[in-house]
Amino acid sequence: RKMDINSKLKIINIMSGARFGGAESFFERLAISFAQNQKIQQKVIIKSNKERIKKLQTVINDIEQIVFFNFLNPLCSYKIKNSIEEFKPDIVLTWMNRASRLLPPKKIKNEIYVGRLGGYYDIKNYVKCDFLITNTQDLKNFVISKGWDRKNVEFIPNFVSNNQISASKIYPTEKRNIICMGRFHHNKAIDILIKSMPFLPSFNLSIVGEGLLENSYRNLIKKFNLNNRVKLYKWSNNISSFLNKASMLVCPSRHEPFGNIVVDGWAHKIPVIVSNVGGPGLMVKHRFNGLKFEKDNVFDLVEKIKTLNSDDNLKKKVTINGFKTFKKNYSEKVIVLKYINFFKRICKLCAE
């Protein structure tokens, strides 16, 4: 499809998605950024979700909701096909497995199908896609190892929103408030952080999220008599209200392809401690823009928390460098431009 040099890039942005999660939050941020960009005309198709629609409707006019967003609902595929016919997009951007599988098998107007991955999913879900976007270099390597042509796979990391950061904050003044955020899932290893707290008697811990392991975490907190120092909070769209009160952020994951919350920590000028796995393990340079500990090792985590807390110079160094890393690599302006440039490049490529 040949694009007029002055015409807007037309994008249909499709996600089923859970009620909350890293990919879902980034989808919302990117969709809102696209809507505010003068170079883009966007239509959004999502699984019905009151909170998500309320957030998106503040800036996006063209939104289609699907109640039963799955393969068993023939109306779902029909609505997507119908939207492509009516909107005539240059790009159809699908998030994760479900949206990518529900793409029409035949092109309607030479639109380009782009699948966006944030995890090590089964690649057969993306057979209809022309190009893929991954949010880590390691994921890109994984996709290529499964047979995808390297030229058709683009690595573009996530960005986090920084509009609620306290501008005057240089580095944390609250001495001993640890924060951890994410789904209550085995992969997130929040249990490791809770188990470290008996060895850190002068620290408080706030855990923000929700999920199936909530009762398991509450039992651990009770078992170690931590009720006064460890608190669980429901996930909030205003995570800044938690992050601005924290003195350090810990991401203890066993498995973490990207790690949005690490970038959130950097953006809020908080020192971060991460497990040496996946995205966080690659993004964090030890003692430069954060500290790393060996995954699943409670005592190594305790040691790193104590090291960071006792060394003000180290704390200041990793906080300042973390914020610089955020501004250089993970700011909204930088990442949205990468998306636009990639879309323009493949539109030009497919028109030749």
Side-chain angles (χ1 to χ4, degrees), residues 103-154:
L103 284 166
K106 288 185 178 180
K107 297 290 182 69
I108 295 153
K109 291 280 183 183
N110 295 323
E111 61 279 353
I112 302 168
Y113 293 163
V114 181
R116 190 267 181 195
L117 289 84
Y120 298 85
Y121 307 130
D122 190 337
I123 294 299
K124 73 180 181 191
N125 291 300
Y126 301 87
V127 292
K128 295 174 189 170
C129 296
D130 304 299
F131 296 88
L132 295 179
I133 293 173
T134 67
N135 63 353
T136 70
Q137 183 61 49
D138 192 56
L139 260 179
K140 178 177 177 176
N141 296 339
F142 165 77
V143 169
I144 293 165
S145 76
K146 297 294 180 183
W148 271 72
D149 188 327
R150 148 180 326 272
K151 296 195 292 291
N152 295 343
V153 186
E154 187 79 355

